[in-house]
Amino acid sequence: MTKPRLTKQVVDGLPATGKDYVEWCGKLSGFGCRVRGNGHKTFIVMYRAGGRNAVPRKVTIGTYGKLTVDQARVEASKILAKAQLGEDVAAERAKQRAEMTVSELCDEYMQEGVEHKKPTTIQSDISRIEAHIRPLLGRKRIGAISRTDIERFLRDVAQGKTAREKKTGKRGKSIVKGGKGTATRTVRLLGGIFTYAVRRDYVQANPCRGVQLYKDGRGDRFLKPEEFRRLGETLKLAETEGLPWKFNEGRKAKHRPKRPENQREVFSPHVVAAIRLLMLTGCRLREILHLRWEEVDFERGILNLPDSKTGQKKIVVPRAAIEILSSLERSSVYVIAGNSPDKPRADLQRPWQRITEHAELQGLRLHDLRHTYASIGAESGMGLVILGKLLGHKSTAATQRYAHLGDDPLKRTSEHIADTIMSALSAAPQKPTADS
């Protein structure tokens, strides 16, 4: 069957299948539309420079939406005509791109290569580019970057070479830090940027490939029963009597409240509910803070999230979580009300710090509640597939980090069998009966 000519109607109808594929034009040979797994569409042209036995060359023309089908067809025709005359457009472009600086590559990547990323991830990428990549590698030509350069970059960031003070407003400031974890995460980003460059034929190989990275320092911490007890008591106190203030000695002592009952901070029911929901559901922080009332199915016990780190998903919640949701006042479109009824609460950083300090859980992160939820599921003998679905993982690879915790049921069974055998071995001999 003859393929149809590429038109706007044909390109609009090309579906996202989860895998990359190319729809070729039935009229202009070599002209096609490449569809990424997520649906992103770009126009390409393929040709052979130097005859039928030459290696095929590919040129990316541009992104659909920024270019129309007709504009892309005109450009493809020009490139194919040059190929007929022996001019290798792909080779010329590759030569020009090899002269591109790392800084210029980062700019193009942030415009063309991040369509699959979440806004929060993009913001993190921008921060790492500005804080570490541009200062150390920005002026270098991408064609001259070697693995040795990346290894040196990794060491420099780890040793704090890019550490500096950064202004965050008229009076605010923050410290840009280095460290091994930051170095590892930044090189991973740089590897993604160079993968984009390889895919566009700007460079032949990714210089980040094979570089030995540091551990990124994101260790998992799981709450123990005693720590759960202290956290539960603190949450109860925070929403009833309030947590006692902590004063800095010698600072404005005369302005402090005199009565002990006035030296306490009572936390919003929404703040305490958010923390409890994180514990009971294993959700990510933004999934709870951005949760709308219209997304809560009380009857079925499901949260219908239209968007999350892994896309649209449903979260099954237990009765205890439904009871918490039912008890909350609906003063906002968001379940966890913030300062504005039309905007989600930004974070829980300050209340979480106060709560963990009082519960003597210094260093415990909110995300560790998700790790604890997962560890309890793994220890109970729950399969990785089921656990992954509860956590909203796209694949079992993300859940695999908890697989070793599933050995605990086997260990308990092994101990039970050994205890039974040892009890039999050490049992006192029975006295013979009259019949024996």
Side-chain angles (χ1 to χ4, degrees):
M1 182 177 177
T2 305
K3 281 188 171 292
R5 180 174 182 269
L6 276 188
T7 63
K8 182 180 185 301
Q9 183 178 4
V10 170
V11 173
D12 284 339
L14 297 177
T17 63
K19 295 182 179 180
D20 294 2
Y21 68 94
V22 176
E23 181 70 18
W24 298 105
C25 181
K27 296 296 181 181
L28 182 60
S29 179
F31 175 50
C33 180
R34 179 178 58 199
V35 184
R36 295 292 185 191
N38 59 6
H40 183 73
K41 299 169 183 176
T42 53
F43 295 110
I44 63 171
V45 61
M46 295 279 287
Y47 64 90
R48 295 179 186 272
R52 184 176 295 273
N53 296 325
V55 177
R57 295 285 197 176
K58 179 188 71 178
V59 174
T60 299
I61 299 171
T63 303
Y64 180 51
K66 295 182 179 179
L67 287 177
T68 66
V69 179
D70 290 338
Q71 288 171 333
R73 188 192 314 281
V74 170
E75 186 63 25
S77 299
K78 292 178 181 178
I79 293 171
L80 290 169
K82 289 179 179 180
Q84 286 291 324
L85 297 173
E87 186 176 339
D88 193 343
V89 176
E92 286 298 320
R93 285 193 179 185
K95 185 177 179 181
Q96 292 173 7
R97 293 301 188 183
E99 297 300 310
M100 176 192 290
T101 65
V102 172
S103 188
E104 290 168 341
L105 175 61
C106 288
D107 289 338
E108 181 176 324
Y109 174 78
M110 295 310 300
Q111 290 181 356
E112 302 286 345
V114 296
E115 68 275 359
H116 61 289
K117 293 189 175 185
K118 296 288 180 183
T120 51
T121 305
I122 291 173
Q123 195 57 50
S124 295
D125 289 351
I126 293 172
S127 296
R128 290 181 181 130
I129 288 170
E130 298 301 329
H132 308 293
I133 296 176
R134 285 197 206 276
L136 296 179
L137 296 175
R139 295 181 181 181
K140 288 183 175 291
R141 303 292 177 184
I142 63 174
I145 295 288
S146 65
R147 184 189 299 180
T148 302
D149 293 316
I150 303 300
E151 289 171 342
R152 186 183 302 113
F153 172 82
L154 180 74
R155 290 195 302 270
D156 286 345
V157 175
Q159 293 168 7
K161 191 170 182 177
T162 50
R164 60 185 174 85
E165 192 176 274
K166 182 177 73 172
K167 290 185 178 180
T168 56
K170 289 184 178 180
R171 299 181 181 179
K173 61 182 180 180
S174 64
I175 303 297
V176 174
K177 298 179 180 179
K180 292 182 178 180
T182 298
T184 286
R185 291 190 285 275
T186 306
V187 170
R188 283 178 181 156
L189 167 61
L190 198 53
I193 293 172
F194 271 101
T195 295
Y196 166 85
V198 171
R199 199 166 59 234
R200 289 293 183 98
D201 296 323
Y202 299 168
V203 292
Q204 294 299 311
N206 190 332
C208 298
R209 187 176 298 278
V211 173
Q212 178 125 22
L213 303 177
Y214 305 111
K215 291 183 178 180
D216 62 13
R218 294 183 292 186
D220 298 342
R221 177 174 173 182
F222 309 127
L223 281 172
K224 301 173 184 176
E226 171 58 23
E227 292 177 321
F228 260 125
R229 184 191 63 77
R230 295 205 305 271
L231 180 56
E233 290 178 351
T234 301
L235 290 173
K236 187 174 182 180
L237 186 65
E239 66 181 341
T240 53
E241 299 177 31
L243 300 184
W245 289 359
K246 280 194 171 184
F247 299 110
N248 293 324
E249 292 300 325
R251 292 190 63 187
K252 299 181 181 180
K254 65 179 181 179
H255 298 300
R256 296 173 184 169
K258 304 303 179 186
R259 295 182 179 180
E261 62 269 23
N262 293 332
Q263 296 177 358
R264 289 179 171 272
E265 180 182 8
V266 178
F267 287 76
S268 160
H270 288 86
V271 167
V272 176
I275 295 171
R276 287 187 173 132
L277 288 171
L278 289 171
M279 286 192 289
L280 291 171
T281 64
C283 286
R284 298 178 179 90
L285 177 60
R286 293 289 175 267
E287 292 172 348
I288 293 298
L289 294 186
H290 291 193
L291 180 65
R292 295 170 177 264
W293 284 111
E294 64 188 30
E295 295 160 5
V296 181
D297 187 336
F298 284 94
E299 186 175 341
R300 298 170 61 201
I302 290 175
L303 307 181
N304 297 295
L305 303 186
D307 192 25
S308 70
K309 184 178 179 181
T310 53
Q312 183 179 1
K313 69 178 182 181
K314 296 180 183 293
I315 295 177
V316 178
V317 294
R319 285 193 300 272
I322 291 295
E323 290 174 4
I324 291 171
L325 290 166
S326 300
S327 69
L328 287 175
E329 179 186 356
R330 301 194 184 191
S331 57
S332 166
V333 295
Y334 295 95
V335 172
I336 306 302
N339 295 328
S340 171
D342 299 324
K343 294 181 180 179
R345 186 182 177 97
D347 58 51
L348 296 174
Q349 186 174 352
R350 182 187 168 278
W352 181 246
Q353 182 178 353
R354 292 273 286 113
I355 288 166
T356 51
E357 283 180 357
H358 187 274
E360 297 181 355
L361 295 171
Q362 285 83 355
L364 182 71
R365 305 169 304 168
L366 279 164
H367 199 68
D368 291 327
L369 301 179
R370 178 173 167 86
H371 291 318
T372 301
Y373 178 92
S375 71
I376 293 172
E379 288 172 347
S380 69
M382 183 186 299
L384 292 185
V385 173
I386 297 297
L387 180 58
K389 286 185 177 180
L390 282 175
L391 292 170
H393 289 162
K394 275 190 172 181
S395 68
T396 55
T399 321
Q400 193 67 36
R401 65 197 300 184
Y402 305 106
H404 68 284
L405 299 172
D407 293 339
D408 280 359
L410 300 178
K411 190 174 187 302
R412 288 197 295 270
T413 304
S414 174
E415 292 289 350
H416 173 71
I417 295 171
D419 287 344
T420 302
I421 294 172
M422 290 304 295
S423 295
L425 290 173
S426 60
Q430 293 184 352
K431 294 181 179 180
T433 61
D435 297 331
S436 59

